[in-house]
Amino acid sequence: MASKSETAKAKAIADLLRQQLFIGVETNATAPKQQAGGQQARFERLLNVVSVMERDSSRGSGAAKPRLLCITVKRNRKLRLHKVKLSNKTAEISKTWSMDDIKAIEFREPTRFSLHLNHKYDFTATDAVLVEGFVQMLANFCTKYAAKPPRYINAVSGAAGATPSGSAGTIRPRTAYGRAAGGRPGGAPGVPALPTLDSAKLPADGAAAEALVRPRTRGPGQQWGPGDQNAVIRRMTKYVADHGGDLSALVPMGGPPLDEAMGEAADGSDFGGEADDVEEMLLDEAFMLTADELTGDFGWRANVDAAQLEARLMSELHKIESDNVRDMLEADKQVPNLIKELDHAIAALDMMDRMLKSYNVELEAMDDDVRKIQMENESLKIEEVNQQRLLDELDKILKTITLSEKELQVLRNESLETTDGIERVERVAASLKRMLGSTPGEGLGGLEATHEKLKKYEFYSSNFSTRVYDYLKVMFQFKVTESANEKARPTRRGIRLISGPDQVHKVTIKYAGLALWLREAKPSADKELQALYIQCMNTLYTNQARELVDSCRPVFFRYRHDVGSGGPSPVAEFSFSVSAGAQAGAAPGASNRRLSLDGLSGAAHQALVSAVKGDTSSVSGPAGGGGTGAPVVDMQPTEAFAIALENLVSNVIAEQNFISDLFHYAPPAHTRAARRGRADRRASSEGAGEDGDAKARHGESVTFYNWVTYKMRPLEHWDVPRSKVDSDDIVSQTVHFGSVKEVKSMLDLLFGSLATQVDTLVEMGTRFDPSQAVGMIVPVAKALDICKGSDQGFLINVLERCQDRLEAMFQRYISEQARSIEATKFVTKKRVGALPFARVFPRFIAHIEELVGDTGCSARSIADTAYSRISRLIFDTLETQLREADRNAQKNADDKDAQKEQLNAHVLLLENVFVLVGGLQTYKARGCKPYFVPMLETYIDHARTIQRKVTRAYIRDVLQRPMGKLIGFFETVDRCLASKRDPLDTSNLGKSQAKKVIQAHSASVMRENIKQLYKRVEKHFMNEPRLRPIIWQAITDDVLSNYQRIVTLLARAYKSTNLSLDFTQTDLQRWLNER
């Protein structure tokens, strides 16, 4: 039970809220007034309030804030939950929610609970009973009036005493308090049971709930009697008191006092069963119409016109009753006439019934005649259909067993070298295939003539299959040998491309129809032909791929020959690690041996040596035709790799598509897509075409007969990857090229060395410059993008493996560069100028950007990550050095060597940051692309921030000798004035001390000090003359700023002493500008 102090406090808070915010729902309520905080009072009735401390769980830890949680009801019977902020006896609503906004109610402890609204709110109160009563009322309202009741978390529900509304039990926390309270009839000691709510009987998710609050009334025989008024008032008083409500609003005229009502309800004997009615009465009491409201709606005055109203109503009542009696008497006179009319109607209906029965007999007789005629018509139609089918069957038999001798001679003697000859042979072979595939009827199947014809056609089919196999075997060998011996090969920037397979494809694709014949007529010969084709093409691809790799070697090895000829290593210009170009710096004597170990052919070796010497006459040739052609050695290895990879990828794509077309492994949807227009036109004119096209549309394999009948041709366009499709001509994500085992096996045999060749290109291209790996990722990613969603499973596997290897190589390269930066040591005893990484970082960025560019692929993100890692290491190294120098100087304040090392560190840092910023700005002005400018500016801004920090530290050190005592003295004066003390009353800041410091810094002394200061700065930055004027300008600004501050402090602290500096700001400016 809540203490009296807590109850009194709750009542005071409720009174304050009713005065300022919730003034009631009566029409005669005082109009809301504008508060000082800007909020107006609302026409709402306050039902319950509890004082809590709020902690927003979504923001983590934070101070708890005192708040009030209020339950109110509006005139339209809408319930609201308000969160009110109370400060200086002024209430202000900060949040408002409806019952539908409450998603979950969670008990944590007896005095702690959480509400899940737009996010989770944690509340803590001081009184557990008030918290339980407030949460119980809120749960009851949500269950009854919310569209979707909330979840109840960490709460136990009692199971005793179901109420008429379907709720049962009490929502309590899962704590020792909750269990103890749940075990007592009245909850906490002395507290009657609250209205109960059983979470097990709550409506399920998605169940419809009443959106509007509807008042419940008692059923028949349960009306409130006069003797129950006091009991109801006692129950309502007890309920509202436990929930922090206003008791004064519940006492009717003539009712018992509040203390008496509270005493009688203390035992809680008659409270639990009527809890729901009490809640309804709390809502209904807010909306009961007064007599003034009722009469006001009619325009009457309740205290004046009541007698007149009663007289008028009684007059109307008597008039209505007399009219009813008169109408009843008149109705009795019309009854005999009505009965007579009904008898006439019944007689007419009997006559109509007899007529309908006679009509029904006649219609049944006619139906029998019509049915007999229909049966005779059906018999005639069946006889006609049978005769037509017999004629069609006889025609098919004639076509099946008939093939002229002239047509058979075409299969034996027709030339297979021309397109016209191949078409004639295919037409005859299609007829032969149709005859062999048709089955004679049962009567004709036993005829000896039929068997002889079929044996004869089988003999011709076998001989034709042997002829086709022998011819195609010779044709494949001849075309592959001719392409291999062809000297004129296309080149691209000196790199020999693979081109032989294109000529083989163009010539042999016309035999696709004959290959389909072999596949159906003689499958073993078809497999042998495929094996022969793979063997021949493998030899061609292997030789030309080797020449392609050899032609790339001069570009890949150009860094080695640059160093071998005595020139600097280009890799060192953009590399932080000295070992990055170590392989390029091998001895010249070992160069030829290493090249031979790499498998360089004689022609490629000669091209390399000539390219290095600048002599291309011995290897010159047409740029796009014959001749080896000297590679362009100033080309990046990445460019050569891109050219070679593009050529290899295009050949793999073309070869897979060609094999699928030639040997008919392409999905039927691919074949239909290219011929559907022609097939549909032919199907409209031929009945057989409809059947063939219907089979094709259902995903069946293309037969040789359909191939010839519908004049199908291969898809061609072999250089374009084909999408993965299913049998219904719909792009499918489940159909993969690996499901076609035959083609996959053929590609494994044909391009078994492709992965090795790609690895060789990667190894050579990154041997002397590992940074080329990120540039090589670009063409690999482009090739993967081309093959995305296609059936090129074999090629995709090779490219993905290559991409993973390149990414790993570049990450190792970046890690090596990072280790080199981390290993950089600052020598503060000597000023040695800028460190290597300050000069290399801008060149490193320029080099990587040249390789990657604005590609938008994975190489872009990899390069950005590398920039971030390297830049973070560089900036951390500079900042760490600055902190260590300052820390060492503070630790050894009396050590001159430590102070000197600190100054040297500042000079060294200024030089490095200046070189770094200058290099980045130069790249931004000359070679930076627009897309990279934002990232580059972040590096420049970071470097400038470090530069400003180091400049301030350096100026503080160098001014210590010429102006240190003067600046230090007046800094002490400034601190003394800040603490509101008079410097003249301080022993070390008196007039004599100030005069002594000023005399020590006379005009002549200051002029000489500035002269010596400039010489010192000039000595510090002798390695970077461009930095000297920048630092001197910063010193000038700082000196003038200190002068202004000293003059101001003299005027404030020593005004009565007439002390002043014997030089002006103009003199100081002139001395500084003389340098």
Side-chain angles (χ1 to χ4, degrees):
M1 187 69 180
S3 63
K4 292 183 179 180
S5 60
E6 292 293 335
T7 304
K9 181 179 178 181
K11 187 175 183 303
I13 291 174
D15 292 340
L16 178 62
L17 292 176
R18 289 189 178 94
Q19 293 173 6
Q20 294 186 4
L21 290 180
F22 312 114
I23 62 175
V25 298
E26 294 82 0
T27 56
N28 58 353
T30 306
K33 297 180 180 180
Q34 186 76 16
Q35 294 186 13
Q39 288 192 346
Q40 285 187 341
R42 304 188 178 190
F43 286 109
E44 298 183 20
R45 171 66 58 84
L46 178 65
L47 301 181
N48 204 341
V49 62
V50 64
S51 178
V52 296
M53 300 296 289
E54 176 197 359
R55 186 183 301 276
D56 192 345
S57 60
S58 65
R59 300 178 181 175
S61 60
K65 298 174 287 187
R67 293 291 185 267
L68 300 175
L69 293 180
C70 305
I71 301 176
T72 65
V73 60
K74 299 174 68 176
R75 186 172 181 82
N76 59 359
R77 301 183 66 84
K78 293 292 186 179
L79 292 165
R80 293 289 185 269
L81 175 65
H82 301 280
K83 185 174 69 175
V84 179
K85 177 181 179 183
L86 186 63
S87 59
N88 297 328
K89 295 184 179 181
T90 301
E92 179 182 355
I93 297 175
S94 60
K95 292 284 186 179
T96 299
W97 304 278
S98 66
M99 296 297 106
D100 294 335
D101 295 335
I102 302 176
K103 300 179 178 63
I105 301 176
E106 177 181 359
F107 259 122
R108 293 171 172 251
E109 295 178 4
T111 58
R112 292 183 59 194
F113 65 96
S114 299
L115 297 180
H116 295 251
L117 299 161
N118 49 351
H119 60 274
K120 185 178 179 182
Y121 292 89
D122 294 335
F123 300 105
T124 304
T126 57
D127 192 280
V129 176
L130 293 179
V131 169
E132 183 178 357
F134 178 85
V135 174
Q136 187 64 52
M137 175 179 280
L138 181 63
N140 288 347
F141 285 154
C142 290
T143 301
K144 295 176 183 178
Y145 307 123
K148 181 180 180 181
R151 296 181 293 109
Y152 302 101
I153 304 173
N154 196 23
V156 294
S157 300
T163 63
S165 61
S167 62
T170 302
I171 302 299
R172 300 184 184 276
R174 294 182 181 270
T175 60
Y177 169 82
R179 289 190 295 271
R184 295 191 298 269
V191 180
L194 295 173
T196 56
L197 178 67
D198 187 2
S199 60
K201 295 186 178 182
L202 294 176
D205 292 343
E210 292 182 356
L212 299 177
V213 178
R214 297 186 178 91
R216 294 182 301 170
T217 60
R218 291 178 171 266
Q222 297 182 359
Q223 303 296 329
W224 290 105
D228 296 335
Q229 182 179 5
N230 292 336
V232 173
I233 292 300
R234 288 196 302 271
R235 287 192 292 271
M236 293 176 61
T237 302
K238 174 61 179 174
Y239 184 78
V240 174
D242 286 346
H243 289 76
D246 184 9
L247 303 179
S248 61
L250 300 177
V251 181
M253 294 181 63
L258 293 179
D259 297 337
E260 180 181 350
M262 290 291 292
E264 294 177 0
D267 56 354
S269 59
D270 58 348
F271 183 77
E274 300 295 338
D276 292 337
D277 295 323
V278 170
E279 289 185 5
E280 292 296 343
M281 292 174 62
L282 286 175
L283 293 179
D284 293 341
E285 189 271 338
F287 308 110
M288 291 181 181
L289 294 176
T290 62
D292 290 338
E293 294 173 343
L294 179 62
T295 57
D297 291 341
F298 290 95
W300 300 321
R301 291 175 297 174
N303 56 349
V304 178
D305 298 334
Q308 298 177 7
L309 173 62
E310 182 179 3
R312 289 179 59 183
L313 292 176
M314 292 300 296
S315 175
E316 292 292 334
L317 177 61
H318 293 323
K319 183 179 179 180
I320 292 172
E321 289 178 352
S322 63
D323 290 342
N324 289 339
V325 172
R326 183 172 60 251
D327 292 340
M328 291 174 60
L329 294 175
E330 291 179 356
D332 291 340
K333 297 178 182 180
Q334 301 296 331
V335 171
N337 295 332
L338 180 61
I339 292 175
K340 184 182 295 184
E341 293 296 334
L342 290 175
D343 291 337
H344 289 307
I346 291 173
L349 290 174
D350 291 339
M351 183 181 296
M352 292 176 63
D353 182 60
R354 289 192 296 272
M355 293 175 63
L356 290 176
K357 288 181 178 180
S358 63
Y359 293 156
N360 186 29
V361 172
E362 294 180 4
L363 289 175
E364 288 180 355
M366 293 176 64
D367 182 61
D368 293 339
D369 296 339
V370 172
R371 190 176 293 109
K372 184 182 296 184
I373 295 172
Q374 289 179 347
M375 292 178 62
E376 293 178 356
N377 289 338
E378 290 294 335
S379 301
L380 294 175
K381 289 181 179 179
I382 293 172
E383 184 178 359
E384 182 182 359
V385 171
N386 290 336
Q387 291 178 355
Q388 184 63 37
R389 288 181 178 178
L390 179 59
L391 293 175
D392 294 340
E393 192 66 26
L394 292 175
D395 184 57
K396 289 180 181 179
I397 293 173
L398 291 176
K399 292 181 179 179
T400 301
I401 62 176
T402 303
L403 191 63
S404 65
E405 188 65 25
K406 182 179 180 180
E407 291 176 328
L408 295 176
Q409 292 298 325
V410 171
L411 297 178
R412 289 195 299 264
N413 303 323
E414 185 64 42
S415 174
L416 298 178
E417 296 181 0
T418 62
T419 304
D420 294 337
I422 293 174
E423 290 181 355
R424 285 192 294 270
V425 170
E426 288 179 349
R427 285 196 297 270
V428 176
S431 301
L432 181 61
K433 189 67 177 177
R434 177 178 56 80
M435 295 175 186
L436 293 174
S438 60
T439 303
E442 296 181 0
L444 297 175
L447 296 178
E448 185 176 354
T450 303
H451 287 291
E452 293 179 356
K453 286 286 184 182
L454 291 177
K455 289 181 180 179
K456 177 181 179 182
Y457 294 154
E458 289 175 359
F459 173 77
Y460 279 109
S461 175
S462 177
N463 291 342
F464 179 67
S465 299
T466 303
R467 181 194 177 197
V468 169
Y469 170 73
D470 294 338
Y471 179 82
L472 292 181
K473 181 173 66 174
V474 174
M475 179 58 66
F476 286 164
Q477 293 175 342
F478 172 74
K479 286 300 177 182
V480 171
T481 304
E482 182 182 18
S483 298
N485 296 331
E486 185 179 0
K487 299 300 181 182
R489 290 267 304 281
T491 62
R492 183 177 175 186
R493 301 185 68 179
I495 297 177
R496 294 171 62 85
L497 304 179
I498 299 175
S499 62
D502 294 340
Q503 303 299 327
V504 177
H505 295 166
K506 292 178 182 178
V507 174
T508 56
I509 191 59
K510 61 185 178 182
Y511 301 111
L514 298 179
L516 181 57
W517 166 272
L518 279 182
R519 184 176 184 178
E520 296 180 0
K522 199 173 184 179
S524 59
D526 178 62
K527 294 297 182 183
E528 293 177 5
L529 187 65
Q530 294 179 19
L532 177 65
Y533 174 82
I534 294 300
Q535 180 182 358
C536 297
M537 293 300 293
N538 183 31
T539 303
L540 180 62
Y541 275 117
T542 301
N543 294 334
Q544 294 195 359
R546 185 185 301 113
E547 294 178 4
L548 171 68
V549 174
D550 288 346
S551 63
C552 295
R553 292 178 189 267
V555 180
F556 293 154
F557 293 164
R558 64 171 184 154
Y559 289 147
R560 170 189 289 181
H561 289 277
D562 290 342
V563 178
S565 60
S569 173
V571 179
E573 293 294 325
F574 52 81
S575 178
F576 302 95
S577 174
V578 179
S579 62
Q583 292 181 337
S591 177
N592 291 335
R593 180 175 178 271
R594 183 58 182 266
L595 285 175
S596 62
L597 291 176
D598 290 335
L600 187 65
S601 63
H605 182 272
Q606 183 65 27
L608 175 60
V609 175
S610 301
V612 172
K613 294 181 179 179
D615 179 18
T616 60
S617 59
S618 60
V619 291
S620 61
T628 58
V632 182
V633 293
D634 61 346
M635 181 170 50
Q636 287 281 359
T638 298
E639 300 178 60
F641 176 82
I643 294 173
L645 183 68
E646 180 182 355
N647 186 240
L648 289 173
V649 168
S650 62
N651 277 277
V652 173
I653 294 173
E655 190 61 42
Q656 176 178 322
N657 293 336
F658 176 76
I659 290 175
S660 299
D661 286 352
L662 179 62
F663 298 109
H664 300 276
Y665 287 113
H670 285 154
T671 309
R672 293 199 309 276
R675 300 78 151 183
R676 182 164 296 162
R678 181 183 301 174
D680 289 344
R681 289 193 301 270
R682 191 169 184 84
S684 63
S685 59
E686 298 182 9
E690 295 179 0
D691 297 337
D693 188 61
K695 292 181 179 180
R697 290 180 185 275
H698 285 84
E700 298 181 3
S701 300
V702 178
T703 63
F704 179 76
Y705 179 79
N706 290 337
W707 176 276
V708 178
T709 303
Y710 304 127
K711 297 183 178 179
M712 295 182 178
R713 292 295 176 267
L715 286 176
E716 299 183 353
H717 302 290
W718 301 304
D719 56 338
V720 179
R722 298 171 181 174
S723 301
K724 293 183 291 186
V725 296
D726 59 14
S727 59
D728 294 328
D729 198 15
I730 301 175
V731 176
S732 172
Q733 300 300 326
T734 59
V735 180
H736 193 268
F737 175 71
S739 61
V740 185
K741 297 181 180 180
E742 293 83 357
V743 180
K744 187 177 185 301
S745 301
M746 295 171 70
L747 289 178
D748 288 338
L749 296 173
L750 189 58
F751 297 106
S753 62
L754 176 62
T756 304
Q757 292 165 349
V758 174
D759 291 343
T760 302
L761 291 172
V762 170
E763 181 181 357
M764 291 191 303
T766 58
R767 179 176 299 173
F768 305 107
D769 181 12
S771 65
Q772 298 288 333
V774 70
M776 294 180 180
I777 294 176
V778 176
V780 175
K782 289 182 179 178
L784 282 172
D785 187 62
I786 293 174
C787 299
K788 183 179 180 181
S790 67
D791 58 358
Q792 297 290 330
F794 175 82
L795 180 58
I796 290 174
N797 292 335
V798 174
L799 293 175
E800 287 178 347
R801 177 177 173 275
C802 177
Q803 185 177 21
D804 294 341
R805 183 183 180 191
L806 289 171
E807 291 178 359
M809 293 176 66
F810 186 70
Q811 294 301 333
R812 288 196 299 270
Y813 168 75
I814 294 299
S815 299
E816 181 181 356
Q817 306 308 303
R819 287 192 296 271
S820 176
I821 295 173
E822 292 173 348
T824 302
K825 300 296 183 181
F826 281 80
V827 181
T828 56
K829 294 184 178 180
K830 294 183 180 180
R831 293 186 291 272
V832 295
L835 296 174
F837 63 72
R839 302 183 185 277
V840 170
F841 184 60
R843 301 172 186 170
F844 172 80
I845 292 178
H847 174 67
I848 298 299
E849 283 303 306
E850 182 183 0
L851 297 177
V852 177
D854 188 17
T855 58
C857 61
S858 59
R860 178 73 268 164
S861 60
I862 293 173
D864 293 342
T865 304
Y867 297 152
S868 300
R869 181 179 179 184
I870 296 299
S871 64
R872 185 169 58 252
L873 280 174
I874 292 175
F875 293 141
D876 289 348
T877 302
L878 296 175
E879 292 178 345
T880 301
Q881 182 61 27
L882 176 62
R883 290 193 297 269
E884 290 180 355
D886 294 342
R887 189 184 305 112
N888 187 33
Q890 292 176 2
K891 185 177 180 181
N892 304 293
D894 298 333
D895 189 355
K896 293 183 178 180
D897 292 338
Q899 301 299 324
K900 183 178 180 181
E901 289 184 5
Q902 181 189 20
L903 184 61
N904 289 342
H906 291 162
V907 174
L908 183 62
L909 289 172
L910 283 173
E911 290 179 349
N912 280 277
V913 176
F914 176 75
V915 171
L916 180 61
V917 172
L920 293 175
Q921 289 179 334
T922 301
Y923 174 64
K924 176 182 176 182
R926 295 181 181 178
C928 183
K929 298 297 188 296
Y931 66 87
F932 192 68
V933 170
M935 180 175 287
L936 189 63
E937 287 180 347
T938 58
Y939 300 148
I940 295 175
D941 293 342
H942 196 169
R944 284 177 174 171
T945 302
I946 298 176
Q947 188 178 30
R948 287 191 294 269
K949 189 184 301 184
V950 179
T951 301
R952 288 194 297 269
Y954 172 77
I955 293 174
R956 184 186 65 243
D957 291 345
V958 296
L959 289 181
Q960 192 65 31
R961 184 182 298 177
M963 298 179 63
K965 293 182 179 180
L966 181 64
I967 295 174
F969 178 81
F970 281 97
E971 285 179 351
T972 307
V973 172
D974 191 14
R975 289 193 296 270
C976 182
L977 292 174
S979 61
K980 298 182 180 181
R981 293 185 292 112
D982 189 359
L984 295 176
D985 297 338
T986 306
S987 59
N988 59 341
L989 299 177
K991 178 180 178 181
S992 59
Q993 296 295 331
K995 185 176 181 180
K996 186 182 297 183
V997 171
I998 292 174
Q999 289 177 352
H1001 294 81
S1002 61
S1004 59
V1005 173
M1006 285 299 299
R1007 185 173 184 179
E1008 183 64 25
N1009 287 344
I1010 290 174
K1011 181 179 180 180
Q1012 295 300 325
L1013 176 62
Y1014 182 79
K1015 291 182 179 179
R1016 192 179 183 192
V1017 172
E1018 187 178 21
K1019 179 181 179 183
H1020 287 165
F1021 299 102
M1022 59 186 304
N1023 293 326
E1024 284 293 341
R1026 297 173 299 172
L1027 182 58
R1028 190 186 310 151
I1030 299 175
I1031 299 300
W1032 184 251
Q1033 182 60 43
I1035 293 174
T1036 300
D1037 296 339
D1038 193 76
V1039 169
L1040 294 177
S1041 175
N1042 282 318
Y1043 175 82
Q1044 291 289 344
R1045 189 161 61 91
I1046 292 172
V1047 170
T1048 303
L1049 291 174
L1050 278 173
R1052 290 178 57 192
Y1054 300 97
K1055 184 177 182 180
S1056 60
T1057 61
N1058 294 326
L1059 291 176
S1060 63
L1061 298 173
D1062 61 349
F1063 57 89
T1064 63
Q1065 182 175 353
T1066 304
D1067 297 333
L1068 196 61
Q1069 182 74 43
R1070 187 178 67 256
W1071 298 337
L1072 291 169
N1073 292 337
E1074 287 177 354
R1075 307 300 145 200

